[in-house]
Amino acid sequence: MPGKVPVRATRAAALLLALGALAYTAWLLEVLVRTGLDPVRTYVSELAAADQPLGGLFRATDLAAGLLVLAGALAGLVATRRHGPWALGGWIALAVFGAATVADSRLPLSCAPTADPECAARETAGLVPATHLAHAVSSSLAMTGALAAMVALTVAARRYGHWRPLARTGPALVVLELAATAWTLAAVAAFEAGKGTWSLGAGQRLQVLLVAVWLAVLAGSLPRRRAR
């Protein structure tokens, strides 16, 4: 029976992470429905703002994504806890990403600052709810956890000789994710300095999409583990 535990945990982790990746791309629904927000300029999280007509839907999908990834990371930790420090650190970072995404969904923006000048002015003046600051913190923690997990688990896949699809494609996804993150951070700085958005929405959407793609690759790699 003990030998079956890692196998079951691996299968559970793969399923949970695959579903989490799917839920984390729910913002792609903006291609099919009118949200009133420009995807090139606006934050992804503004889709879930309290004043948006579909905010409840996107908060629910964020919550589902966070819970699924958190559960998947914990299952992965059980399945591969003896596979070295890179794997251990990667699963912990992925759990942080999931938990912070759950927090994100519970701390929505009250309005959309990149689309609503009045909202932006209130935010600059500190007249918005404290959830704006809390959301910024949880979002930063989520992306830090995602980046750390991407790097650590990709290194683990290559160093320990398992998760072969991730070992092959992970490095390219990490490089692209770092580039998308740099774009997003530069665009946020430009927006906060009053110098436009620098296509902030496009950069952040690419950043989020790459995380989801990486999660899907990881989920597909887990059942194919091969130890050296």
Side-chain angles (χ1 to χ4, degrees):
M1 181 64 69
K4 294 182 179 180
V5 173
V7 174
R8 292 175 177 173
T10 297
R11 291 173 179 170
L15 177 60
L16 289 165
L17 292 174
L19 292 173
L22 182 63
Y24 201 57
T25 58
W27 54 271
L28 289 170
L29 289 172
E30 66 183 352
V31 175
L32 303 176
V33 298
R34 292 181 62 86
T35 64
L37 298 177
D38 181 358
V40 176
R41 294 172 51 86
T42 60
Y43 291 108
V44 176
S45 56
E46 288 176 300
L47 293 167
D51 69 343
Q52 296 302 305
L54 297 176
L57 170 64
F58 290 113
R59 290 193 294 275
T61 56
D62 279 351
L63 175 62
L67 290 173
L68 287 164
V69 172
L70 175 59
L74 295 177
L77 190 60
V78 169
T80 62
R81 61 185 180 277
R82 297 180 182 177
H83 292 165
W86 284 103
L88 176 63
W91 288 119
I92 292 173
L94 193 60
V96 170
F97 164 68
T101 301
V102 170
D104 242 10
S105 72
R106 302 300 88 192
L107 298 166
L109 300 172
S110 64
C111 53
T114 63
D116 182 356
E118 183 179 338
C119 174
R122 291 202 309 272
E123 192 174 64
T124 301
L127 300 177
V128 292
T131 51
H132 279 243
L133 177 58
H135 183 87
V137 172
S138 61
S139 293
S140 298
L141 185 59
M143 290 315 302
T144 300
L147 272 171
M150 290 177 71
V151 171
L153 290 176
T154 297
V155 170
R158 296 180 66 83
R159 176 167 291 192
Y160 306 140
H162 50 234
W163 308 332
R164 289 161 64 184
L166 181 63
R168 288 194 302 268
T169 62
L173 289 173
V174 168
V175 169
L176 290 172
E177 179 66 17
L178 289 171
T181 299
W183 175 5
T184 302
L185 291 175
V188 169
F191 174 68
E192 291 180 348
K195 297 180 180 180
T197 62
W198 290 19
S199 299
L200 167 60
Q204 193 189 35
R205 280 162 176 76
L206 177 60
Q207 183 188 37
V208 171
L209 181 61
L210 287 168
V211 172
V213 170
W214 181 87
L215 283 171
V217 172
L218 173 62
S221 300
L222 291 177
R224 305 181 188 184
R225 182 180 67 81
R226 176 182 64 82
R228 277 179 181 160

